[in-house]
Amino acid sequence: MKTFVILNTDELGIVDFDQVAEISAEYCRYSLDGTKTFVKYIGEQPSFLSGKTEYTHSEMLTILATGEWTDPNPPGE
């Protein structure tokens, strides 16, 4: 089961991309204002994410559906 953790973009320097599903910061999804991103992992929480709030897949889908992450008026509609 994948677990998700939201980070401020200025925290990306702590991420060991060998321990998460994303391969680099370039492949992360960002909030619309660019201040937040998230990483996901399987199994035990990597130590560099200690103390961070964890989310399930369904919780993360709910978060990503908000206006903070998804433009309610995408271009061309």
Side-chain angles (χ1 to χ4, degrees):
M1 177 173 78
K2 291 181 184 169
T3 304
F4 299 78
V5 173
I6 296 173
L7 300 169
N8 292 323
T9 53
D10 62 1
E11 295 177 289
L12 278 171
I14 68 166
V15 176
D16 178 350
F17 286 99
D18 290 333
Q19 296 184 44
V20 296
E22 293 72 24
I23 59 173
S24 73
E26 294 173 2
Y27 288 89
C28 291
R29 179 173 170 179
Y30 294 88
S31 59
L32 294 178
D33 67 5
T35 63
K36 294 181 183 176
T37 188
F38 64 91
V39 294
K40 57 190 167 288
Y41 58 90
I42 297 172
E44 290 188 36
Q45 184 184 58
S47 61
F48 61 87
L49 295 174
S50 180
K52 302 287 185 189
T53 302
E54 298 177 313
Y55 300 94
T56 64
H57 184 253
S58 62
E59 289 171 329
M60 198 65 203
L61 288 177
T62 300
I63 291 167
L64 293 176
T66 66
E68 184 176 13
W69 293 88
T70 302
D71 188 345
N73 303 303
E77 287 193 15

Coordinates of all heavy atoms in Angstrom, one line a residue:
M1 N 0.8 -1.2 0.0 CA 0.0 0.0 0.0 C 0.9 1.2 0.0 O 1.8 1.4 0.8 CB -0.9 0.0 1.2 CG -1.7 1.2 1.4 SD -2.9 1.1 2.7 CE -1.9 1.4 4.1
K2 N 0.6 2.2 -0.9 CA 1.3 3.4 -0.9 C 0.8 4.4 0.1 O -0.3 4.5 0.5 CB 1.1 4.1 -2.3 CG 1.8 3.4 -3.4 CD 1.6 4.1 -4.7 CE 2.2 3.2 -5.8 NZ 1.9 3.7 -7.2
T3 N 1.8 5.1 0.7 CA 1.5 6.1 1.7 C 2.0 7.5 1.1 O 3.1 7.5 0.5 CB 2.2 5.8 3.0 OG1 1.8 4.5 3.5 CG2 1.9 6.8 4.1
F4 N 1.3 8.5 1.4 CA 1.6 9.8 0.8 C 2.0 10.8 1.9 O 1.4 10.8 3.0 CB 0.4 10.4 0.0 CG 0.1 9.5 -1.2 CD1 -0.7 8.3 -0.9 CD2 0.4 9.8 -2.4 CE1 -1.0 7.5 -2.0 CE2 0.1 9.0 -3.5 CZ -0.7 7.9 -3.3
V5 N 2.9 11.7 1.6 CA 3.3 12.8 2.6 C 3.4 14.1 1.8 O 4.1 14.1 0.7 CB 4.6 12.5 3.3 CG1 5.1 13.7 4.1 CG2 4.5 11.2 4.1
I6 N 2.7 15.1 2.2 CA 2.8 16.4 1.6 C 3.9 17.2 2.2 O 4.1 17.2 3.5 CB 1.4 17.2 1.8 CG1 0.3 16.5 1.1 CG2 1.6 18.6 1.3 CD1 -1.1 17.0 1.4
L7 N 4.7 17.9 1.4 CA 5.8 18.7 1.8 C 5.7 20.1 1.2 O 5.2 20.3 0.2 CB 7.1 18.1 1.3 CG 7.5 16.6 1.7 CD1 8.6 16.1 0.8 CD2 7.8 16.6 3.1
N8 N 6.3 21.0 1.9 CA 6.5 22.3 1.3 C 7.6 22.2 0.3 O 8.6 21.4 0.5 CB 6.9 23.4 2.4 CG 5.8 23.7 3.4 OD1 4.6 23.7 2.9 ND2 6.1 23.8 4.6
T9 N 7.6 22.9 -0.8 CA 8.6 22.7 -1.8 C 10.0 23.0 -1.3 O 11.0 22.5 -1.8 CB 8.3 23.6 -3.0 OG1 8.1 25.0 -2.7 CG2 7.1 23.1 -3.7
D10 N 10.1 23.9 -0.3 CA 11.5 24.2 0.2 C 12.0 23.0 1.1 O 13.2 23.1 1.5 CB 11.5 25.5 1.0 CG 10.6 25.5 2.3 OD1 9.9 24.5 2.6 OD2 10.6 26.5 3.0
E11 N 11.2 22.0 1.3 CA 11.7 20.8 2.0 C 12.2 19.7 1.0 O 12.6 18.7 1.5 CB 10.6 20.2 2.8 CG 10.1 21.1 4.0 CD 8.9 20.5 4.7 OE1 7.8 20.4 4.1 OE2 9.1 20.1 5.9
L12 N 12.1 19.9 -0.3 CA 12.5 18.9 -1.2 C 14.0 18.5 -1.0 O 14.3 17.4 -1.4 CB 12.2 19.3 -2.6 CG 10.8 19.1 -3.1 CD1 10.6 19.8 -4.4 CD2 10.5 17.6 -3.2
G13 N 14.8 19.3 -0.5 CA 16.2 19.0 -0.3 C 16.4 17.9 0.7 O 17.5 17.3 0.7
I14 N 15.4 17.6 1.6 CA 15.6 16.5 2.5 C 15.2 15.1 1.9 O 15.5 14.1 2.5 CB 14.7 16.7 3.8 CG1 13.2 16.6 3.5 CG2 15.0 18.0 4.5 CD1 12.3 16.4 4.7
V15 N 14.6 15.1 0.7 CA 14.1 13.9 0.1 C 15.2 13.1 -0.5 O 16.0 13.5 -1.3 CB 13.0 14.2 -0.9 CG1 12.5 12.9 -1.6 CG2 11.8 15.0 -0.3
D16 N 15.2 11.8 -0.1 CA 16.1 10.8 -0.7 C 15.3 10.1 -1.7 O 14.4 9.3 -1.4 CB 16.7 9.9 0.4 CG 17.5 8.8 -0.2 OD1 17.6 8.7 -1.5 OD2 18.2 8.0 0.5
F17 N 15.4 10.5 -3.0 CA 14.5 9.9 -4.0 C 14.8 8.5 -4.3 O 14.0 7.8 -5.0 CB 14.7 10.8 -5.3 CG 14.0 12.1 -5.2 CD1 14.7 13.3 -4.9 CD2 12.6 12.2 -5.4 CE1 14.1 14.5 -4.8 CE2 12.0 13.4 -5.2 CZ 12.7 14.6 -4.9
D18 N 15.8 7.9 -3.7 CA 15.9 6.4 -3.7 C 14.9 5.7 -2.8 O 14.8 4.5 -2.9 CB 17.4 6.0 -3.4 CG 18.4 6.4 -4.4 OD1 18.0 6.5 -5.6 OD2 19.5 6.6 -4.0
Q19 N 14.3 6.4 -1.9 CA 13.4 5.8 -0.9 C 11.9 6.1 -1.2 O 11.1 5.7 -0.4 CB 13.8 6.3 0.5 CG 15.2 5.8 0.9 CD 15.5 6.2 2.3 OE1 14.6 6.1 3.2 NE2 16.7 6.7 2.6
V20 N 11.6 6.9 -2.2 CA 10.3 7.2 -2.6 C 10.0 6.8 -4.0 O 10.9 6.5 -4.8 CB 9.9 8.7 -2.3 CG1 10.1 9.0 -0.8 CG2 10.8 9.6 -3.1
A21 N 8.7 6.9 -4.4 CA 8.3 6.5 -5.8 C 8.8 7.5 -6.8 O 9.0 7.1 -8.0 CB 6.8 6.2 -5.8
E22 N 8.9 8.8 -6.5 CA 9.3 9.8 -7.4 C 10.8 9.7 -7.7 O 11.5 9.3 -6.8 CB 8.9 11.2 -6.9 CG 7.4 11.4 -6.8 CD 6.7 10.7 -5.7 OE1 7.4 10.3 -4.7 OE2 5.6 10.5 -5.8
I23 N 11.2 9.9 -8.9 CA 12.6 9.8 -9.2 C 13.4 11.1 -9.0 O 14.6 11.1 -8.9 CB 12.8 9.2 -10.6 CG1 12.2 10.1 -11.7 CG2 12.3 7.8 -10.7 CD1 12.6 9.7 -13.1
S24 N 12.7 12.2 -9.0 CA 13.4 13.5 -8.8 C 12.3 14.6 -8.5 O 11.1 14.3 -8.8 CB 14.2 13.9 -10.0 OG 13.4 14.3 -11.0
A25 N 12.7 15.7 -8.1 CA 11.8 16.8 -7.9 C 11.1 17.2 -9.2 O 9.9 17.7 -9.1 CB 12.5 18.0 -7.3
E26 N 11.7 17.0 -10.3 CA 11.1 17.4 -11.6 C 9.8 16.5 -11.9 O 9.0 16.9 -12.6 CB 12.1 17.2 -12.7 CG 13.2 18.1 -12.6 CD 14.3 17.8 -13.7 OE1 14.1 16.9 -14.5 OE2 15.3 18.5 -13.7
Y27 N 9.7 15.4 -11.3 CA 8.6 14.5 -11.5 C 7.5 14.6 -10.4 O 6.5 13.8 -10.5 CB 9.1 13.0 -11.6 CG 9.9 12.8 -12.9 CD1 11.2 13.0 -13.0 CD2 9.2 12.4 -14.1 CE1 11.9 12.9 -14.2 CE2 9.9 12.2 -15.3 CZ 11.2 12.5 -15.3 OH 11.9 12.3 -16.5
C28 N 7.7 15.4 -9.5 CA 6.7 15.6 -8.4 C 5.5 16.5 -9.0 O 5.7 17.3 -9.9 CB 7.3 16.3 -7.2 SG 8.4 15.3 -6.3
R29 N 4.4 16.3 -8.4 CA 3.2 17.2 -8.7 C 3.2 18.3 -7.7 O 3.5 18.1 -6.5 CB 1.9 16.4 -8.6 CG 0.7 17.3 -8.9 CD -0.6 16.5 -9.0 NE -1.7 17.4 -9.0 CZ -2.9 17.0 -9.1 NH1 -3.2 15.7 -9.2 NH2 -3.9 17.9 -9.1
Y30 N 2.9 19.5 -8.1 CA 2.9 20.7 -7.2 C 1.6 21.3 -7.1 O 0.7 21.2 -8.0 CB 3.9 21.7 -7.8 CG 5.3 21.2 -7.7 CD1 5.9 20.5 -8.8 CD2 6.1 21.4 -6.6 CE1 7.2 20.0 -8.7 CE2 7.4 21.0 -6.5 CZ 8.0 20.2 -7.6 OH 9.2 19.8 -7.6
S31 N 1.3 21.9 -6.0 CA 0.1 22.7 -5.8 C 0.1 23.8 -6.8 O 1.1 24.2 -7.4 CB 0.0 23.2 -4.4 OG 1.1 24.1 -4.1
L32 N -1.1 24.3 -7.1 CA -1.2 25.4 -8.1 C -0.4 26.6 -7.8 O 0.2 27.2 -8.8 CB -2.7 25.8 -8.2 CG -3.7 24.7 -8.8 CD1 -5.1 25.3 -8.8 CD2 -3.2 24.2 -10.1
D33 N -0.2 26.9 -6.6 CA 0.7 28.1 -6.3 C 2.2 27.7 -6.1 O 3.0 28.6 -5.9 CB 0.2 28.8 -5.0 CG 0.4 27.9 -3.7 OD1 0.9 26.8 -3.8 OD2 -0.1 28.4 -2.7
G34 N 2.5 26.4 -6.3 CA 3.9 26.0 -6.3 C 4.5 25.9 -5.0 O 5.7 25.6 -4.9
T35 N 3.8 26.0 -3.9 CA 4.4 26.0 -2.6 C 4.4 24.6 -1.9 O 5.1 24.4 -1.0 CB 3.7 26.9 -1.6 OG1 2.3 26.5 -1.4 CG2 3.7 28.3 -2.1
K36 N 3.6 23.6 -2.5 CA 3.6 22.3 -1.9 C 3.7 21.2 -3.0 O 3.4 21.4 -4.1 CB 2.2 22.1 -1.2 CG 2.0 23.0 0.0 CD 0.7 22.7 0.7 CE 0.5 23.6 1.9 NZ -0.8 23.5 2.5
T37 N 4.2 20.1 -2.5 CA 4.3 18.9 -3.4 C 4.1 17.7 -2.5 O 3.8 17.9 -1.3 CB 5.7 18.8 -4.1 OG1 5.7 17.8 -5.0 CG2 6.8 18.6 -3.1
F38 N 4.2 16.5 -3.0 CA 4.0 15.3 -2.2 C 4.9 14.2 -2.7 O 5.3 14.2 -3.9 CB 2.6 14.8 -2.1 CG 2.0 14.4 -3.4 CD1 2.0 13.1 -3.8 CD2 1.3 15.3 -4.2 CE1 1.4 12.7 -5.0 CE2 0.7 14.9 -5.4 CZ 0.8 13.6 -5.8
V39 N 5.2 13.3 -1.9 CA 5.9 12.1 -2.3 C 5.2 10.9 -1.7 O 4.3 11.0 -0.8 CB 7.4 12.0 -1.7 CG1 8.2 13.1 -2.4 CG2 7.4 12.1 -0.2
K40 N 5.4 9.7 -2.3 CA 4.8 8.5 -1.9 C 5.8 7.4 -1.7 O 6.8 7.4 -2.4 CB 3.7 8.1 -2.8 CG 4.1 7.9 -4.3 CD 2.8 7.7 -5.2 CE 3.1 7.8 -6.6 NZ 3.5 9.2 -7.1
Y41 N 5.5 6.5 -0.9 CA 6.4 5.4 -0.6 C 5.6 4.1 -0.2 O 4.4 4.2 0.1 CB 7.4 5.7 0.5 CG 6.8 6.1 1.8 CD1 6.5 5.1 2.8 CD2 6.4 7.4 2.1 CE1 5.9 5.5 4.0 CE2 5.9 7.8 3.2 CZ 5.6 6.8 4.2 OH 5.0 7.2 5.4
I42 N 6.2 3.0 -0.3 CA 5.6 1.7 0.1 C 6.4 1.2 1.3 O 7.6 1.2 1.2 CB 5.6 0.7 -1.1 CG1 4.7 1.3 -2.2 CG2 5.1 -0.6 -0.6 CD1 4.8 0.5 -3.5
G43 N 5.7 0.7 2.3 CA 6.4 0.1 3.4 C 6.6 1.1 4.5 O 5.8 2.0 4.7
E44 N 7.8 1.0 5.2 CA 8.1 1.8 6.3 C 8.4 3.2 5.9 O 8.9 3.5 4.8 CB 9.3 1.3 7.1 CG 9.0 0.0 7.8 CD 10.1 -0.4 8.7 OE1 10.8 0.5 9.3 OE2 10.3 -1.6 8.8
Q45 N 8.0 4.2 6.7 CA 8.2 5.6 6.5 C 9.7 5.9 6.5 O 10.4 5.5 7.4 CB 7.5 6.5 7.5 CG 7.7 8.0 7.2 CD 7.1 8.8 8.3 OE1 7.5 8.7 9.5 NE2 6.1 9.6 8.0
P46 N 10.3 6.5 5.4 CA 11.7 6.8 5.4 C 12.0 7.8 6.5 O 11.1 8.7 6.9 CB 11.9 7.5 4.0 CG 10.8 7.0 3.2 CD 9.6 6.8 4.1
S47 N 13.1 7.7 7.1 CA 13.5 8.5 8.3 C 13.4 10.0 8.0 O 13.1 10.8 8.9 CB 14.8 8.1 8.9 OG 15.8 8.3 7.9
F48 N 13.7 10.4 6.8 CA 13.7 11.9 6.5 C 12.3 12.4 6.5 O 12.1 13.6 6.5 CB 14.4 12.2 5.2 CG 13.8 11.6 4.0 CD1 12.8 12.2 3.3 CD2 14.3 10.3 3.5 CE1 12.2 11.6 2.2 CE2 13.7 9.7 2.4 CZ 12.7 10.4 1.7
L49 N 11.2 11.6 6.6 CA 9.8 12.0 6.6 C 9.3 11.9 8.0 O 8.1 12.1 8.2 CB 9.0 11.2 5.6 CG 9.3 11.4 4.2 CD1 8.5 10.5 3.3 CD2 9.1 12.9 3.7
S50 N 10.1 11.5 9.0 CA 9.6 11.3 10.4 C 8.9 12.6 10.9 O 9.4 13.7 10.7 CB 10.9 11.0 11.2 OG 10.4 10.8 12.6
G51 N 7.8 12.3 11.5 CA 7.0 13.4 12.0 C 6.0 14.1 11.1 O 5.2 14.9 11.4
K52 N 6.1 13.7 9.8 CA 5.2 14.3 8.8 C 3.9 13.5 8.8 O 3.8 12.3 9.0 CB 5.8 14.2 7.4 CG 7.2 14.9 7.2 CD 7.0 16.4 7.3 CE 8.3 17.1 7.0 NZ 8.2 18.5 7.2
T53 N 2.8 14.2 8.4 CA 1.5 13.6 8.4 C 1.4 12.6 7.2 O 1.8 13.0 6.1 CB 0.4 14.6 8.3 OG1 0.5 15.5 9.4 CG2 -1.0 14.0 8.2
E54 N 0.9 11.4 7.4 CA 0.8 10.5 6.3 C -0.7 10.4 5.9 O -1.6 10.6 6.7 CB 1.2 9.1 6.8 CG 2.6 9.0 7.2 CD 3.0 7.6 7.8 OE1 2.2 7.1 8.6 OE2 4.0 7.1 7.4
Y55 N -0.9 10.2 4.6 CA -2.2 10.1 4.0 C -2.3 8.8 3.2 O -1.3 8.3 2.5 CB -2.4 11.3 3.0 CG -2.4 12.6 3.7 CD1 -1.2 13.3 3.7 CD2 -3.5 13.1 4.4 CE1 -1.1 14.6 4.4 CE2 -3.4 14.4 5.0 CZ -2.2 15.1 5.0 OH -2.1 16.3 5.6
T56 N -3.5 8.2 3.2 CA -3.8 7.1 2.3 C -4.0 7.5 0.9 O -4.2 8.8 0.6 CB -5.0 6.3 2.8 OG1 -6.2 7.2 2.7 CG2 -4.9 5.9 4.3
H57 N -4.1 6.6 0.0 CA -4.4 6.9 -1.4 C -5.8 7.7 -1.5 O -5.8 8.7 -2.2 CB -4.4 5.7 -2.3 CG -4.6 5.9 -3.7 ND1 -5.8 5.6 -4.4 CD2 -3.8 6.5 -4.6 CE1 -5.7 6.0 -5.6 NE2 -4.5 6.5 -5.8
S58 N -6.8 7.2 -0.9 CA -8.1 7.8 -1.0 C -8.1 9.2 -0.4 O -8.7 10.2 -0.9 CB -9.2 7.0 -0.4 OG -9.0 6.8 1.0
E59 N -7.4 9.4 0.8 CA -7.3 10.7 1.4 C -6.5 11.7 0.4 O -6.9 12.8 0.3 CB -6.5 10.6 2.7 CG -7.3 10.0 3.8 CD -6.5 9.7 5.0 OE1 -5.2 9.4 4.9 OE2 -7.0 9.7 6.1
M60 N -5.5 11.2 -0.2 CA -4.7 12.0 -1.1 C -5.5 12.4 -2.3 O -5.4 13.6 -2.8 CB -3.4 11.3 -1.5 CG -2.4 12.2 -2.1 SD -1.8 13.4 -0.8 CE -1.2 14.7 -1.8
L61 N -6.3 11.5 -2.9 CA -7.2 11.9 -4.0 C -8.2 13.0 -3.6 O -8.4 13.9 -4.4 CB -8.0 10.6 -4.5 CG -7.2 9.6 -5.2 CD1 -8.1 8.4 -5.5 CD2 -6.5 10.1 -6.5
T62 N -8.7 12.9 -2.4 CA -9.6 14.0 -1.9 C -8.9 15.3 -1.8 O -9.4 16.4 -2.3 CB -10.2 13.6 -0.6 OG1 -10.9 12.4 -0.7 CG2 -11.1 14.7 0.0
I63 N -7.7 15.3 -1.3 CA -6.8 16.5 -1.2 C -6.5 17.1 -2.6 O -6.7 18.3 -2.8 CB -5.5 16.2 -0.4 CG1 -5.9 15.9 1.0 CG2 -4.5 17.4 -0.5 CD1 -4.7 15.4 1.8
L64 N -6.1 16.2 -3.5 CA -5.8 16.7 -4.9 C -6.9 17.2 -5.6 O -6.8 18.0 -6.6 CB -5.1 15.5 -5.6 CG -3.7 15.1 -5.1 CD1 -3.2 13.9 -5.9 CD2 -2.7 16.3 -5.1
A65 N -8.2 16.9 -5.3 CA -9.4 17.4 -5.9 C -9.7 18.8 -5.5 O -10.6 19.4 -6.1 CB -10.5 16.4 -5.7
T66 N -9.1 19.3 -4.5 CA -9.4 20.6 -4.0 C -8.8 21.7 -4.9 O -7.9 21.4 -5.7 CB -8.8 20.9 -2.6 OG1 -7.4 20.8 -2.6 CG2 -9.4 19.8 -1.6
G67 N -9.3 22.9 -4.7 CA -8.8 24.1 -5.5 C -7.3 24.4 -5.3 O -6.7 25.1 -6.1
E68 N -6.8 23.9 -4.2 CA -5.3 24.1 -4.0 C -4.4 23.4 -4.9 O -3.4 23.8 -5.3 CB -5.0 23.7 -2.5 CG -3.6 24.0 -2.1 CD -3.3 23.7 -0.7 OE1 -4.1 23.0 0.0 OE2 -2.2 24.2 -0.2
W69 N -5.0 22.2 -5.4 CA -4.2 21.3 -6.3 C -4.7 21.2 -7.7 O -4.0 20.9 -8.6 CB -4.1 20.0 -5.7 CG -3.4 19.9 -4.4 CD1 -3.8 20.1 -3.2 CD2 -2.0 19.7 -4.2 NE1 -2.8 20.0 -2.2 CE2 -1.7 19.7 -2.9 CE3 -0.9 19.4 -5.1 CZ2 -0.4 19.5 -2.4 CZ3 0.3 19.1 -4.6 CH2 0.6 19.2 -3.3
T70 N -6.0 21.5 -7.9 CA -6.6 21.3 -9.2 C -7.4 22.5 -9.6 O -8.3 22.9 -8.8 CB -7.6 20.1 -9.2 OG1 -6.8 18.9 -8.8 CG2 -8.2 19.8 -10.6
D71 N -7.1 23.1 -10.7 CA -7.8 24.3 -11.2 C -9.2 24.0 -11.5 O -9.5 23.2 -12.3 CB -7.1 24.8 -12.4 CG -7.6 26.2 -12.9 OD1 -8.6 26.6 -12.4 OD2 -6.9 26.8 -13.7
P72 N -10.2 24.7 -10.8 CA -11.6 24.4 -11.0 C -12.0 24.9 -12.4 O -13.1 24.5 -12.9 CB -12.3 25.1 -9.9 CG -11.4 26.2 -9.5 CD -10.0 25.6 -9.7
N73 N -11.3 25.8 -13.0 CA -11.6 26.3 -14.3 C -10.4 26.2 -15.3 O -9.7 27.1 -15.6 CB -11.9 27.8 -14.2 CG -13.1 28.0 -13.3 OD1 -14.1 27.5 -13.5 ND2 -12.9 28.8 -12.2
P74 N -10.1 24.9 -15.7 CA -8.9 24.7 -16.5 C -9.0 25.4 -17.8 O -10.2 25.7 -18.3 CB -8.9 23.2 -16.7 CG -10.3 22.7 -16.4 CD -10.9 23.7 -15.5
P75 N -7.9 25.8 -18.4 CA -7.9 26.5 -19.7 C -8.7 25.7 -20.8 O -8.6 24.5 -20.8 CB -6.5 26.7 -20.1 CG -5.7 26.4 -18.8 CD -6.6 25.6 -17.9
G76 N -9.4 26.4 -21.6 CA -10.1 25.7 -22.7 C -11.5 25.2 -22.4 O -12.1 24.6 -23.2
E77 N -11.9 25.4 -21.2 CA -13.3 25.0 -20.8 C -14.2 26.1 -20.6 O -13.8 27.2 -20.3 CB -13.2 24.1 -19.5 CG -12.6 22.7 -19.8 CD -12.9 21.8 -18.7 OE1 -13.8 22.0 -17.8 OE2 -12.2 20.7 -18.7

